[in-house]
Structures are given as C-alpha cells and as structure tokens.
Amino acid sequence: MSPPNLYLPLIDLSSTDRASTAKSIRQACMDHGFFYVINHGIDDFVVNSLFRESKNFFDLPLSEKMKLEIKTDYRGFSPPYAETLNPSSKLKGDLKETFDIGPINDSLNQWPSKERMPAWRVTMESYDEKIMNVAVRLISLIALALNLDENFFTKIGALDSPMGFLRLLHYPGEIPESEKGKYGASAHSDYGMITLLVTDGVPGLQICREKDRSPQLWEDVHHVEGALIVNIGDMMERWTNCIFRSTVHRVVAVGQERYSVAFFLDPNNECVVECLENCCSETSPPRFPPIKCGDYLEERFRVTYSQ
C-alpha cells in the first residue's frame, strides 16, 4: 500500500508580514518538523549548476572518488554502504554515496582537482554563500516563532562562525538483488539547528511524525518545483524541549537515480545548547541536559561511521 499523501506547509520567504510567517513556521515545526520554503532568492541557474557539478563528480570512477575519501574530519567522499544512518537497523550500509563540505574557508575541506573539475569549487562556494543567507534568515524567523527576539540566536553566539555543512548525495537507480531491502538513507533525524534540502525532483523522501508509534506511519514528501525542503534538527529540538520536533526521515529506493544537496546549519562547536526558559515549566521540565554543540555532533558522527 502506498504511503498517504502529505501536505507540508508552504512558507513564502518574500512575505513582508514577518509575524504571520513566524506563526506559520511555528505551526509547521510543531506539527511536522518539515516545511517548504519558496521565493528564497536562489535562482534555477545556481541550482542547475550545483546538480551538474554533483553529477559530474559522482560519475567519476570509484577509484578516482576514493582519492578524496572522508577521514576523521568528516569532509570528503563516502562510498555506498559506508554509512548506516539508523544505528538500530539490521541492514548495515545505506545505498547512497555522498560528498561532504564543511565551512567553505575551512582548511580541512577536500576538493576535486581543478584540472579535472574546473567549475566545482566556485559552484560549491556560490551555492554555500546563498544557502547560508537563506538559513540565517530562517533562523531569525524561527526565533520569532518561539516568541523570542529575532536576533536571539545571534546574541547567544550560536551564529558566531556557525558550522555550515554541504552534503551532496547520489542514490542509485538499479540495485543488486543482494542489496534489496536496504534504504537509500535509513531512518534518522538530523543533528543540527535546521537542514535545507534541494532535490532533483525524483521521489523517495519519507517522514515519520510519530517515531514511537507501532507500526510506524511513513509519509511521502512530494517535490515542489523551486522550493527548498526545510526540517528541524536535534539541536533545535533540544533548545525547544521538543516543542519543535526533529522528525525522523528516510529515503527509499524507487528504481531511479536520485540527486539531492543538503545544507546543515549547526551552531559553532562551543555553543551550549540548553532548554529555552520559555519552553519549560514546573510541569514540563527540561528533557535534555545542556551540551556543547561540538560534543553532541562528534558523538552522532562517531555512531554513524562506526556501524
């Protein structure tokens, strides 16, 4: 049986009514943890260039891609089956292959050679600058959605040298019989503040709003032309004491190649994430202890790559 249709809220970033936009974001974050963003200011040329360069890289022979294999700093190429995003899964190894880029000026980043891929780095830098701008605009609206000052997350230092990560993803079309049943990306939540995703339109993304429900109900997230898909990450869930949900999601194999690019906005490593005062009370005490962002991310990465 096909998953039920899911209609996520559509947030118009060009709206001048910030109070109304913030109210819509609040409802979306409480009900789904996911929403679409339109009129975000990133034009089709930039997105098309991004996907062209992504495809050009993933089309390289595996031996060439492995020269940029991810190391302990989590930057670079990760081949199929190297990650299992769902640590409780009995099926080890997700089908996807990925390429991770940290903050653009970070010396730890790995880059394909300019001779082989002359437009790669400038394309990634251009997209990173634009998507970071969108993410910061969204964070100010999320602050308003939490009945905080719009500059709250800036004032507490979360956006002092934030950790913006780009992840290029390629999901296979044909799957060997021996790998049937595995997921493109197994069930997981994202680790940071928010994630902004752009896809090539091929389906496969599903969310589960009630992760403790049995059996779990998975709903398809449909492609909306020109829209970004935004979801709340674990850090924001911890800040809000689960008022805003970091929703579990996965990518299923659909028999078609699929490309997407995720941008993860994380606070800087020294930022302490602890329950906001207006998100807890005597009857609803903090569910999580304070934690430094860097410590939380390191543990989540360690579990992901040790499967």
Side-chain angles (χ1 to χ4, degrees), residues 13 79 121 136 158 168 177 191 235:
L13 212 54
R121 183 166 181 170
V136 171
L168 282 62
E177 193 64 36
Y191 311 155
M235 293 291 167

Side-chain angles (χ1 to χ4, degrees), residues 123-192:
T123 300
M124 299 304 149
E125 289 176 339
S126 173
Y127 183 73
D128 182 87
E129 179 184 5
K130 291 175 173 59
I131 198 70
M132 174 65 86
N133 179 265
V134 176
V136 171
R137 290 164 64 193
L138 278 171
I139 288 297
S140 70
L141 286 165
I142 286 172
L144 291 176
L146 290 165
N147 300 314
L148 301 168
D149 181 272
E150 65 179 350
N151 296 315
F152 173 81
F153 289 104
T154 300
K155 290 177 178 177
I156 66 169
L159 299 181
D160 292 345
S161 302
M163 302 291 285
F165 277 82
L166 276 181
R167 164 162 274 207
L168 282 62
L169 300 112
H170 171 231
Y171 300 90
E174 295 296 322
I175 301 171
E177 193 64 36
S178 60
E179 305 299 337
K180 292 288 176 68
K182 288 190 174 182
Y183 293 98
S186 52
H188 65 285
S189 61
D190 291 343
Y191 311 155

